[in-house]
Amino acid sequence: MISNLTQLAVPRSTLGEGPCWDAAAGALYWTDIPASRVHCLADGHHRCWEIGRPAGAVVPRAGGGLVLAARDGFLALDPATGTLTMLAAVEPEITGNRMNDGACDRTGRFFAGTMADDEAPGAGALYRLDRDHRVTQVMADVSISNGIDWSPDERLMYYIDSPTHRIDVFDYDPGTGTAAFSNGRTFARAGGGEVVPDGLTVDSEGGVWVALWGGGQVRRYTPDGTLMLSVDLPAANVTSCAFGGPSLHTLYITTAAGPGSSGGALFACQSTVAGLPANPFRG
Ligand code: CA
């Protein structure tokens, strides 16, 4: 199912995160959180932007450019000029918190969560940025808000709060204005102790790919929650993964510094199963 695992020739990150394939641009974006950088790889050329604050997620914007979930809120980044524009502040009163992982649903609403810099339990929350730039808290009492994605029919939403060692799944109703999710239950358990599930992505067959921080792996779970495949990486701290490439058969994997020969490197491998296109923010 997976072949040709390759370390890509881009600068290593301290904490590489949030890979996202922009099909319109033919570009992979990712962030280096503590370095306050957004990276891009397109046609073999690497670029990066200094953004002056940590960002945990980056998504394309349907009208052009990028949107970040950064320390202080949701910001637009103009790749041509590097200009940042605040779309909506998040938790401006909590200086010890920052935004972390996130993704957009098909309607183009951007979901991203927060966490405390000191990882204080329950200090974070999950937020939804609507197309009109209004922000709503949709889940409280989160510790390290991480991977989020939807099933191919968007009737399920997968979500990881890392210290729970769980991948949770919710029923999702994309048709409502509030994008209601309900009936949360455990989809799968992963890790233990310092080994925790981090980012995730769902493929076109509904398989759920989960990065295992501290565990040196990306794992694929079938839609019924069965562990089907483990991909070993030469870096313990595997942070996230995303499908990209012209046919969405390339799985990109971000990592962070730590044990292993290649901590912080960006990897790619070929998958027989294609991914789903990343949704842009439509506001
Ligand atoms: Ca993460």
Side-chain angles (χ1 to χ4, degrees):
M1 170 162 270
I2 283 290
S3 61
N4 295 337
L5 179 70
T6 308
Q7 181 176 332
L8 299 178
V10 295
R12 286 203 201 184
S13 294
T14 302
L15 175 49
E17 267 289 359
C20 182
W21 175 258
D22 180 353
L28 181 78
Y29 296 96
W30 69 101
T31 71
D32 183 347
I33 294 177
S36 298
R37 288 191 183 118
V38 174
H39 292 272
C40 172
L41 183 65
D43 290 329
H45 297 288
H46 170 259
R47 295 176 66 186
C48 93
W49 296 268
E50 308 279 346
I51 55 167
R53 72 265 282 161
V58 50
V59 300
R61 193 176 189 184
L66 303 169
V67 179
L68 313 176
R71 166 170 286 285
D72 42 349
F74 292 99
L75 289 99
L77 169 64
D78 181 345
T81 62
T83 304
L84 291 162
T85 307
M86 178 67 81
L87 300 181
V90 173
E91 299 179 350
E93 72 288 0
I94 309 176
T95 53
N97 274 16
R98 66 167 173 84
M99 297 205 80
N100 200 38
D101 209 345
C104 295
D105 74 356
R106 210 169 291 156
T107 308
R109 297 170 284 217
F110 193 171
F111 289 74
T114 59
M115 60 175 283
D117 288 322
D118 64 4
E119 304 184 357
L126 180 65
Y127 294 89
R128 186 190 72 235
L129 175 68
D130 286 331
R131 298 169 62 174
D132 61 4
H133 302 178
R134 199 163 28 174
V135 173
T136 305
Q137 187 184 101
V138 293
M139 197 187 304
D141 195 27
V142 170
S143 297
I144 302 180
S145 188
N146 256 314
I148 185 166
D149 204 359
W150 290 264
S151 59
D153 64 4
E154 223 176 44
R155 290 291 163 186
L156 299 173
M157 182 183 93
Y158 297 94
Y159 177 65
I160 291 171
D161 179 6
S162 288
T164 65
H165 299 110
R166 295 193 316 263
I167 300 101
D168 287 336
V169 63
F170 299 80
D171 296 331
Y172 190 71
D173 182 357
T176 66
T178 53
F181 59 89
S182 59
N183 189 26
R185 64 264 187 203
T186 301
F187 169 71
R189 295 179 188 278
E194 299 296 304
V195 178
V196 296
D198 194 335
L200 71 82
T201 193
V202 177
D203 67 35
S204 59
E205 296 181 358
V208 181
W209 298 74
V210 177
L212 205 57
W213 173 274
Q217 287 183 342
V218 169
R219 295 180 174 177
R220 182 179 189 265
Y221 295 86
T222 53
D224 67 0
T226 303
L227 175 60
M228 192 215 143
L229 173 77
S230 297
V231 181
D232 292 317
L233 292 139
N237 294 330
V238 184
T239 54
S240 190
C241 54
F243 284 93
S247 63
L248 297 175
H249 279 87
T250 302
L251 182 70
Y252 291 100
I253 302 165
T254 50
T255 68
S261 58
S262 299
L266 176 69
F267 295 89
C269 56
Q270 299 308 307
S271 165
T272 54
V273 178
L276 295 165
N279 298 310
F281 177 62
R282 299 186 188 276

